[in-house]
Amino acid sequence: MRGMSGLHEECGVFGIVGGPQTRAARATYYGLYALQHRGQESAGIAVSTGNEILHHKAMGLVSEVFDEKRLATLPGSMACGHVRYSTSGRSLVVNAQPLVVRYRGGALALAHNGNLVNAPSLRATLEQEGVIFETSIDSELIANLVARADTGNIVEAVLSAMRVIRGAYALVIMTPDTLIGVRDPDGIRPLSIGRSEDSWMLASESCAFDAVGGTLVRDVEPGEVVTLNRSGVMSHLSGLARPERLCIFEFIYFGRPDSVMGASTMYVVRKRAGSLLAREAPARGDIVVPVPDSGISAAVGYAETSGIPFAEGFVKNRYVGRTFIQPEQALRAAGVDLKLSVLVDVVRGKRVVLVDDSIVRGTTILRLIRKLRAAGAVAIDLRVASPPIVCPCHFGIDTPSRGELIAAGLDVAAVCQKVDADSLAYLSIRGLREAVGGNGSCDACFSGQYPMEVPDEGNKLGLEQAEVEHATK
């Protein structure tokens, strides 16, 4: 998967428990559909009948994996689901989620978003004890640890596992009679609680609640375990919580614009970032053009603050997925041309201020700038609504190695020349933090300040070659 230019998103998780008439599988289908932007390789749903757990998962989009006939085979008023984007692990159905395991204490289904930084050592220890793994994902480690610790109290088993694992994780765990949500002690990966008239829900983003007629109640706190039933939510504190370090790329890119994290929608945060970018890095331009769709909100903010008119310079083919999801480099490169076409009449003869959310390798933005020049743009001033990405992520986002990050080895002037722009400016880390507001965030990809000890670069690459997935789902 390393031949692609963008940051690879992590996964989406969803869970629901309702009354006897709740069609949990159908609600989960709609919830996952709303979270499809978080993972587009595989999808799965598990349901509880009250006595057992049934499930179905397969490669493909939610709408490809499930239809009316398939949903009818998943009866029950409690369910959990998952959409996955694989990173260094193999893109195989065996690695799709939710994972369903059966053990001496019963059965459980587990849906995971995140990455364990100590997965290799944990896996080695368990294998030495005779444990056999069916997948290459670290989610199976969590399921195994919970199952081993379960002596009749599933919450205590989860808390026991949390004391062993390190890294980023948002979990939805379902037993035949309990729905559980878990968030890592640093709160790096998001997880929220929602409710509707007769149901309680968990999801990676609040947009999933909207899709099933629900509303956001609150975020699961860092280090918190919650159990849900028809009557409400019970909180269990792990004692491991630290100040929240929610991944800052949720605000920059991953979260859907209408999702709420902290006190603001992602749209408001991104628009604010664009406004601050216009103050920090003004440009002489005739029009402000966003890179669709991720640059739109920031471009609106930049245009409003700068007074330069906003214009749509690209037309997007809505039936082409995000370019970096393509598993082959040749397909990814062709996907840029299939996905975006230039509106020649809009950009011809104009000085364009091109706004994007981030630059990773620089290959995609180079192609877009060349397309604008071919369409007659006389100058292109590139403005980026986040700082330079100089360090890889170890917590569930599949960033390239440091050597592949364009800003890790080049200064701003050199990056500008490399992507064929007339000028280039990034939003400062201070500006981004201001845009995000009071939310504590992990910004290690910009600052290099990780919230915990992480594997070194050589170790990371070696594990990838061994196909031990420690950058998740």
Side-chain angles (χ1 to χ4, degrees), residues 278-303:
R279 295 192 184 101
E280 290 186 0
R284 280 191 312 111
D286 301 311
I287 54 175
V288 175
V289 171
V291 175
D293 285 325
S294 57
I296 292 176
S297 305
V300 170
Y302 194 101

Side-chain angles (χ1 to χ4, degrees), residues 59-134:
M59 306 305 294
L61 302 175
V62 176
S63 59
E64 297 168 337
V65 174
F66 295 98
D67 55 20
E68 291 284 355
K69 184 177 180 180
R70 177 62 67 181
L71 291 174
T73 68
L74 298 170
S77 59
M78 182 165 60
C80 67
H82 189 269
V83 287
R84 179 177 190 256
Y85 172 78
S86 70
T87 52
S88 58
R90 284 181 146 187
S91 177
L92 299 172
V93 70
V94 69
N95 287 337
Q97 296 188 40
L99 294 178
V100 176
V101 298
R102 292 171 177 83
Y103 60 104
R104 70 182 188 282
L108 65 82
L110 181 144
H112 173 203
N113 169 28
N115 174 56
L116 305 184
V117 296
N118 65 337
S121 60
L122 284 176
R123 189 182 187 98
T125 298
L126 291 173
E127 286 177 336
Q128 288 174 359
E129 295 177 4
V131 175
I132 298 173
F133 292 95
E134 296 182 358

Side-chain angles (χ1 to χ4, degrees), residues 33-45:
Y33 201 96
L35 297 172
Q36 187 75 85
H37 59 286
R38 298 184 71 88
Q40 300 160 20
E41 281 196 351
S42 65
I45 296 174

Side-chain angles (χ1 to χ4, degrees), residues 315-334:
V315 172
K316 183 176 181 181
N317 181 349
R318 301 293 173 180
Y319 296 95
V320 178
R322 293 185 177 186
T323 55
F324 61 70
I325 294 299
Q326 300 295 340
E328 301 294 339
Q329 170 65 17
L331 288 177
R332 185 207 59 77

Side-chain angles (χ1 to χ4, degrees), residues 8 20 97 124 145 167 173-174 186 218 239 343 389 399 431 468:
H8 301 175
Q97 296 188 40
L145 290 167
I173 300 172
M174 183 180 71
D186 294 285
R218 66 174 178 89
L343 288 167
I389 301 171
T399 51
V468 176

